[in-house]
Amino acid sequence: MQFENTLDFAKSLDKADDLGRFREQFIFPTQNEKEFIYLCGNSLGLQPKRTKKMLSEQLNNWGDKAVEGWFEGEEAWMYYHKGVNALMGELVGAKAAEVCAMNTLTVNLHLLMVSFYAPKGKRIKIIMEKGAFPSDQYAIESQVRFNGYNPAETIIEVAPRAGEHTLRTEDIVAEILAQGDELALVLFGGVNYFTGQLFNMAAITKTGHSVGATVGFDLAHAAGNVPLSLHDWNVDFACWCSYKYQNAGPGGIGGVFVHEKHFLNTELNRFAGWWGYHENGRFLMEKGFKPEKGADGWQVSCTQVFPLTIYFSSLQQFEEAGFMQPLREKSKKLTVYLQFIISQINKEINLEQFEIITPPHEEDRGAQLSIIAKNKPKEIFNALVAKNVLGDWREPNVIRFSPVPMYNSFEDVFRAGALLLEVTQQLLKAEH
Ligand SMILES: *Cc1c(COP(=O)(O)O)cnc(C)c1O
């Protein structure tokens, strides 16, 4: 497609966009009584308008039924998570029994590592991406220590080659093969939070299994952003948060995936709690933990009804949008358009002012472009915020823009680009 950096062109793309109807179902933040151009869904997704209504229904339930709410009514809290699990399974390419909404992301990562990081003999190492989100680094490091090993000798980080910003699949594969039978676990992100790189999860999983390792993914930036086929890829386990691309609110409930091949494995360690006990016997309050079959068996505490309700409201929108395939098509087009506009800005100001460090091909990234601003990066970011463009800032010089297909438009991308050019020209002129 031949793109044009004009408002009319952006509007013509919006007119042809079936998903455009979802935009008005969200609440956009404002500043000086004007809506932001919100390009920060990679960090915190917007609030769907239906959320308040569904949450208030559950508050009424609590008021009207109190403890009976667990068992009474169409949406009895005892089984409420099952409706969420079914939609969540569709979203990540899993069977409903393979997923469960519970806790929060880093907590779930710990719980799953208790089950799936089982170092033994010389098979003790973990491979991860260098520059993973800090919470993952801390979780993995502390799990390694908990098992009595030294993180420096146990954790292998795959890094980009000198002068490159992103990882090559061939390098990840080679590192896994090189570690061979010393490798206990491959634990990767699905999409890297900093660069926006989408990893080849199918290839990573296959290679990990070929050397006898377990393979898990942190999908914080991937779930709700890119299509996933966790079951078919034969991934062992995964976890994600719901508040980034899944619009389920700050600190929203997390999700876990456990492949069904592990359901009957009684060798797996677990940090157990009563809600993971097999459902029909849970209230017998008997001694000796017997897990519910499926991902539900990894639950620890009772269902967090309110965060779950928020997540449910958002997942219903994903269902109405047709889940990830249509969203992904629009998402790719949005980032390609943004990429085009950034290149036009560089031409306009006759400088290589902006360098996109996200992979250049849309198949290799999610809904985010990470852009190094060579001159005056922080000043440019602040000036954009003052003009109601909200991306997000990463030290020392990276601006991340995430046009989210569920609620962003091509017009958003055009307008953000026009304002980026304007503030950059002003700030760089002021320098001379
Ligand atoms: C956002 C994010 C987290 C945050 O974890 P919480 O436990 O939800 O605070 C962890 N890991 C990755 C990769 C993330 O992107």
Side-chain angles (χ1 to χ4, degrees):
M1 176 179 275
Q2 206 54 30
F3 286 119
E4 294 169 29
N5 191 7
T6 65
L7 182 58
D8 280 348
F9 181 79
K11 283 185 167 172
S12 74
L13 290 178
D14 285 327
K15 221 167 150 199
D17 168 27
D18 280 346
L19 296 171
R21 67 200 152 98
F22 284 96
R23 182 181 176 88
E24 61 176 33
Q25 298 183 21
F26 286 87
I27 301 170
F28 282 76
T30 56
Q31 172 175 260
N32 304 327
E33 288 161 36
K34 249 182 75 195
E35 272 183 11
F36 273 105
I37 298 174
Y38 194 74
L39 297 173
C40 203
N42 60 310
S43 186
L44 184 68
L46 293 182
Q47 183 184 139
K49 288 180 182 165
R50 71 180 73 187
T51 299
K52 202 175 259 174
K53 181 165 172 282
M54 286 179 65
L55 202 50
S56 126
E57 283 164 10
Q58 286 299 348
L59 283 165
N60 289 341
N61 255 348
W62 177 27
D64 295 342
K65 301 190 179 119
V67 71
E68 309 262 73
W70 283 106
F71 302 100
E72 285 206 347
E74 259 170 54
E75 296 191 326
W77 302 325
M78 262 293 279
Y79 308 105
Y80 192 49
H81 68 289
K82 304 229 181 237
V84 173
N85 292 355
L87 298 183
M88 197 166 66
E90 292 272 357
L91 196 70
V92 300
K95 299 184 177 181
E98 289 175 317
V99 295
C100 187
M102 59 190 206
N103 311 312
T104 46
L105 172 53
T106 311
V107 171
N108 287 332
L109 188 57
H110 276 297
L111 293 174
L112 290 168
M113 283 189 76
V114 164
S115 296
F116 294 103
Y117 176 51
K120 209 168 153 189
K122 67 177 198 173
R123 195 182 279 285
I124 62 167
K125 290 184 181 168
I126 301 178
I127 283 191
M128 65 187 293
E129 85 231 54
K130 189 174 166 67
F133 194 83
S135 200
D136 300 43
Q137 298 181 38
Y138 308 148
I140 294 169
E141 181 190 313
S142 57
Q143 285 282 337
V144 165
R145 279 190 214 284
F146 181 72
N147 278 280
Y149 300 102
N150 175 357
E153 293 162 2
T154 310
I155 301 171
I156 312 293
E157 293 185 328
V158 190
R161 295 187 188 185
E164 298 182 8
H165 293 289
T166 53
L167 289 173
R168 300 191 191 194
T169 303
E170 67 205 83
D171 290 352
I172 302 171
V173 164
E175 190 61 59
I176 294 172
L177 295 175
Q179 297 301 329
D181 61 3
E182 294 185 10
L183 195 59
L185 177 63
V186 178
L187 185 46
F188 246 74
V191 171
N192 181 273
Y193 81 101
F194 189 74
T195 64
Q197 179 178 17
L198 168 60
F199 296 116
N200 187 336
M201 288 173 261
I204 292 171
T205 306
K206 198 163 158 238
T207 311
H209 287 164
S210 79
V211 300
T214 303
V215 182
F217 290 96
D218 180 330
L219 302 174
H221 282 264
N225 179 11
V226 294
L228 299 163
S229 302
L230 298 181
H231 177 87
D232 289 345
W233 292 337
N234 205 15
V235 169
D236 292 289
F237 71 95
C239 48
W240 52 92
C241 55
S242 61
Y243 50 80
K244 290 171 180 165
Y245 291 100
Q246 296 181 74
N247 313 323
I253 201 162
V256 304
F257 164 86
V258 176
H259 198 283
E260 68 178 356
K261 67 188 174 184
H262 297 297
F263 286 179
L264 298 177
N265 183 352
T266 51
E267 306 276 286
L268 295 177
N269 279 316
R270 290 184 208 229
F271 283 173
W274 71 317
W275 225 252
Y277 197 83
H278 81 90
E279 216 170 79
N280 297 331
R282 188 183 292 155
F283 292 95
L284 299 175
M285 307 289 191
E286 280 174 347
K287 211 171 152 58
F289 180 73
K290 297 189 200 111
E292 171 71 9
K293 196 173 149 197
D296 280 9
W298 268 265
Q299 294 174 99
V300 178
S301 295
C302 66
T303 300
Q304 300 154 258
V305 175
F306 300 114
L308 194 69
T309 301
I310 298 176
Y311 194 15
F312 206 1
S313 69
S314 155
L315 284 170
Q316 289 175 0
Q317 286 183 304
F318 277 91
E319 184 183 31
E320 288 162 23
F323 292 107
M324 285 319 298
Q325 285 307 339
L327 288 162
R328 175 65 170 160
E329 287 314 306
K330 177 178 172 186
S331 173
K332 286 192 285 195
K333 221 180 200 178
L334 280 167
T335 57
V336 173
Y337 191 43
L338 178 56
Q339 195 175 15
F340 164 78
I341 286 176
I342 300 290
S343 74
Q344 295 292 304
I345 294 174
N346 275 338
K347 273 190 203 145
E348 186 79 28
I349 55 181
N350 251 335
L351 277 173
E352 286 299 306
Q353 161 68 1
F354 296 109
E355 182 196 356
I356 299 174
I357 59 174
T358 305
H361 296 293
E362 64 271 26
E363 299 295 339
D364 301 328
R365 65 187 182 219
Q368 162 190 339
L369 292 187
S370 304
I371 304 162
I372 292 181
K374 301 253 163 78
N375 302 293
K376 305 222 168 177
K378 191 70 206 260
E379 290 89 338
I380 289 172
F381 180 77
N382 290 342
L384 281 175
V385 176
K387 290 201 176 284
N388 279 31
V389 179
L390 207 53
D392 98 347
W393 169 255
R394 286 289 145 167
E395 295 292 341
N397 56 5
V398 174
I399 298 171
R400 297 186 299 179
F401 287 139
S402 298
V404 171
M406 186 76 95
Y407 50 74
N408 283 122
S409 61
F410 291 90
E411 186 175 334
D412 284 340
V413 171
F414 168 79
R415 288 192 187 278
L419 290 164
L420 178 63
L421 176 60
E422 187 185 314
V423 303
T424 305
Q425 278 176 326
Q426 275 168 7
L427 282 162
L428 295 191
K429 197 169 342 139
E431 198 168 51
H432 298 301

